[in-house]
Amino acid sequence: MLAPLQRLEQLKARVREAIATPAFTRAHGLVSLALELPQPLHAAPELSGPRFQFAHNHRGELRAGYGIAAEWRAEGEQRLQQLRQRARATAPDWHQLDPDETGLGGFAMLGFAATPEPTTTPGASDLPNAVYWIPEVALNTTNEQSALILTARLPVEPEALLARWDDWLERLVPLLAQPARTPQTPATLERGPSEPALEPWRDLVLAALDAIERDGPLEKLVLCRRQRLQGHRRFDLDRLNDALAYLFPSCQVINVRHREGCFVAATPERLFTLRGRRVEADAIAGTACRAADAARDAALTVELLGCAKNLHEHQVVVEAVRAALERCCERLEPIEGPRVMQLNNAQHLWSLVRGETDAEGDVFSLAELLHPTPATNGQPRRDAHDWLRRNEPFERDWYTGAAGIVEPDLSGELWVLLRCARVAGDTAELYAGAGIVPGSDPVSEWEEIDHKLAAMSTALQFA
């Protein structure tokens, strides 16, 4: 295996060869250059500037992006349609170079906030309401292959591009060979106030139940809490990613930094995966805690599968996901589930909805149809959105939005942004929620959210 310095010089030489080809002389479009790396990566190094990372431990997959080769933003009711137009216009002129035949290439990130309305709280978010973002430098690793991918927007002056890419390689490549980090000593975190506090939370849940139990259209509402944590040292985001991947290996660990603050999630829930015309979506709703004792844990699983309240909450989500996919699919398969998805700190009812999209289906049209699901917002979707906008005490920002990877052909995978935190310096704001349906109890829902918040707060102790 090449030493890091030899690897760096080899990659620089490969870049020089590529920049001399006709692909970089075109007058417009994008060009991505994929260069093979010698072994799979388990983490993406932290570098200053805009950055995103998606890592799934059990699947052995990692996607990371640094810098911005191209970016489009939008907000308002037409935000996804506007970004879709940009992406569809870009795709035909996005040229992929893969001299090492890795089968990997350039990709984009799509991410968006819970609601299309711009935030009304000054300085509340470091992230755009919705963004389609093609990174200048990317890492892509699977169980079998790994590549470093450089992307340029054309036209470009070759010498200026070479200098910029050399700088990226000198910063990034030596870090790829660093050994795994040792864990930090667990830190004590100071727990700040919850928003809402317990009594206002009780009132909010009762108001939601009253709205559902009237003769109106509401079947379910999803309410969330925000919890502030204060550390005694600056949070190390690399270590936070490591801790989340270790604690929750079946979750997608997401880390997005656009300006200063960082948005982090460890989510068990896909919004959907689209490969070719085949789509697969998760329906997750209905939650129980875990127990250290094996017999008690098994009993909790049985109770979850037999709980009328949880089964009703779950079925509302299943029916909504199926109805959304019926609008864009030529064929739907029978529902798989419910089964139980077990995480370290919680277990959920989980069903799979699969189908084959029509010819117009892509990540943007599917996101428009599926987001927000009743698992994060309520049902019916518009009535729940309007009620939450009037009654929740704070804006959710990207919590319960979605983010994921988009391929140049507009296939890809988006994840619902759950178990989230906004991290800046030595402070973190954690978000989690609970579904309210007839039979919900305010104290039980408060405790359920505490279990969900524990996912991120535990990981932050080791960051």
Side-chain angles (χ1 to χ4, degrees), residues 449-463:
I449 290 179
D450 274 345
H451 284 296
K452 293 175 179 176
L453 291 170
M456 188 63 67
S457 61
T458 299
L460 283 165
Q461 293 179 50
F462 295 93

Side-chain angles (χ1 to χ4, degrees), residues 114-120 129 221 377 382-397:
T115 66
E117 298 88 358
T119 181
T120 59
N129 183 271
L221 287 163
N377 176 72
R382 172 50 62 180
D383 297 278
H385 169 270
D386 292 343
W387 192 95
L388 293 169
R389 290 284 290 179
R390 293 193 305 270
N391 291 278
E392 278 196 322
F394 57 86
E395 294 174 312
R396 294 187 178 190
D397 196 31

Side-chain angles (χ1 to χ4, degrees), residues 89-153:
T90 300
D93 289 323
W94 191 349
H95 189 60
Q96 304 285 337
L97 297 179
D98 186 14
D100 299 325
E101 299 183 351
T102 65
L104 306 175
F107 54 84
M109 189 206 83
L110 171 65
F112 50 87
T115 66
E117 298 88 358
T119 181
T120 59
T121 306
S125 177
D126 291 322
L127 295 169
N129 183 271
V131 61
Y132 182 68
W133 170 2
I134 301 172
E136 184 169 16
V137 181
L139 298 172
N140 187 352
T141 198
T142 67
N143 280 320
E144 297 147 1
Q145 191 76 53
S146 191
L148 184 149
I149 302 152
L150 300 159
T151 299
R153 193 170 187 176

Side-chain angles (χ1 to χ4, degrees), residues 420-440:
C420 301
R422 287 181 58 211
V423 181
D426 60 357
T427 63
E429 289 184 338
L430 280 58
Y431 298 79
I436 307 303
V437 295
S440 293

Side-chain angles (χ1 to χ4, degrees), residues 403-431:
I405 298 299
V406 181
E407 308 295 351
D409 65 357
L410 305 193
S411 65
E413 182 173 77
L414 295 187
W415 290 79
V416 182
L417 296 172
L418 304 175
R419 320 294 165 84
C420 301
R422 287 181 58 211
V423 181
D426 60 357
T427 63
E429 289 184 338
L430 280 58
Y431 298 79

